[in-house]
Amino acid sequence: MKLVRTATFAAGLLSLCLVSRVGLGAEAAARLTPGDTFSIPFHEMPPTYWSISTSNKGPARLSISLPKNYTPGGKFPLLVSLYGGTGGNGGPKPAIVSAMTQDQDFVCASMPLFKKIAPKDPGGNVVMRDEDAQYMWPFFRTMLAKLFEVVPNIDKSRMIIGGFSNGAHATQGLIDESDGEIAKQFSAFFFIEGGGRLKHYELLKGKPYLMVSSQTGSKPRAQEIIDQASAAGALTTFIFEDAGGHTIPMKAAPAMHAWLIGQATKSTSPK
């Protein structure tokens, strides 16, 4: 395993991870640097959606960002964010996640999207579908396992996952197509401008669920989704911030931050 520096990075952690593939425990936590961002490549995985769309041959990557107040002895919630579009290649956390967390209190991770069929191939589609989520889930599971090794003091009772647009669609697919594992592992979910094909709303029962809409055109459908989630017993929050189109409404960040440090991390634990 190789760790790649994307910000100031502790040389001790790099040396440790180059020689060890086993659980790292307290020793690893002691070598992590507050505020650091680094990535782990997965050369054994197939090309990501971003890679097949850009013809870039780089490996899939998991990006990890530590909060500025990280300490080896603490327990930190995890926030996994999925980019929209082609999903990127596991780059650093997006600006909305930095604004949501204020770079404090949460370990943040970004993972790429994987497409079973390339969009330009027969049967392909630019939108993430359920079959893509089925294909993607084993790779996500591997990345999550490595994340827990590298950052051993993540609070597994407080883990949040979500994304924007295709990232929201992928989150929806993972909920529906992981045999309930995503719903078991994660305690809260957030969708920004996407995720409308969710089938198994019952998996959200008792869990905080945030829907964010950024345009008047998407607001009615977003309200329908929230209503279905509420009827299934989810602890729902709906934020509408008109940004004039299909985009991430950065002005909604304070309300999203309030949800994250309030209902998302204090209401429930995974069942």
Side-chain angles (χ1 to χ4, degrees):
M1 179 181 68
K2 182 181 180 183
L3 290 174
V4 179
R5 180 167 61 184
T6 55
T8 303
F9 186 72
L13 176 62
L14 178 60
S15 299
L16 175 67
C17 291
L18 282 171
V19 299
S20 177
R21 297 183 70 90
V22 300
L24 303 178
E27 183 181 2
R31 297 177 187 233
L32 295 170
T33 302
D36 218 352
T37 294
F38 52 93
S39 66
I40 303 172
F42 291 81
H43 296 278
E44 71 278 12
M45 291 185 180
T48 63
Y49 184 2
W50 175 82
S51 183
I52 62 177
S53 298
T54 63
S55 298
N56 187 293
K57 303 301 182 184
R61 294 180 181 276
L62 161 68
S63 180
I64 303 170
S65 297
L66 302 177
K68 293 179 179 178
N69 60 339
Y70 179 84
T71 59
K75 277 287 190 179
F76 292 86
L78 172 67
L79 193 153
V80 175
S81 59
L82 306 180
Y83 279 84
T86 60
N89 204 40
K93 61 185 177 184
I96 188 61
V97 171
S98 185
M100 285 173 67
T101 63
Q102 299 181 0
D103 297 326
Q104 300 281 338
D105 302 327
F106 290 81
V107 172
C108 298
S110 295
M111 301 180 185
L113 305 180
F114 293 86
K115 264 285 185 183
K116 185 176 183 179
I117 302 174
K120 294 183 179 180
D121 289 348
N125 194 302
V126 296
V127 177
M128 294 294 293
R129 300 291 189 181
D130 286 350
E131 57 267 25
D132 299 317
Q134 290 177 347
Y135 174 68
M136 185 167 58
W137 169 231
F139 310 132
F140 268 47
R141 189 168 51 212
T142 297
M143 288 185 170
L144 285 170
K146 185 57 62 181
L147 171 61
F148 299 145
E149 285 185 10
V150 174
V151 188
N153 55 338
I154 287 172
D155 182 352
K156 293 183 180 180
S157 71
R158 295 185 295 165
M159 302 203 312
I160 302 98
I161 187 171
F164 163 66
S165 189
N166 250 352
H169 297 325
T171 303
Q172 165 264 309
L174 288 168
I175 293 170
D176 283 335
E177 303 298 334
S178 65
D179 293 326
E181 286 303 309
I182 284 290
K184 289 177 183 177
Q185 289 193 40
F186 286 84
S187 57
F189 304 88
F190 69 96
F191 289 1
I192 305 173
E193 284 282 304
R197 290 188 301 276
L198 187 67
K199 299 188 294 288
H200 293 291
Y201 284 97
E202 73 278 4
L203 295 176
L204 303 178
K205 184 177 181 180
K207 294 179 179 290
Y209 175 96
L210 172 67
M211 171 62 73
V212 181
S213 171
S214 68
Q215 55 182 329
T216 55
S218 70
K219 185 179 179 181
R221 177 57 183 144
Q223 185 64 62
E224 289 178 359
I225 297 167
I226 276 290
D227 290 344
Q228 286 180 278
S230 295
L235 307 177
T236 58
T237 300
F238 183 38
I239 297 173
F240 175 69
E241 182 66 49
D242 192 0
H246 181 68
T247 187
I248 297 174
M250 292 302 296
K251 289 184 178 179
M256 295 174 72
H257 173 71
W259 173 82
L260 186 64
I261 64 172
Q263 190 176 67
T265 50
K266 295 179 180 178
S267 294
T268 63
S269 296
K271 295 181 180 179

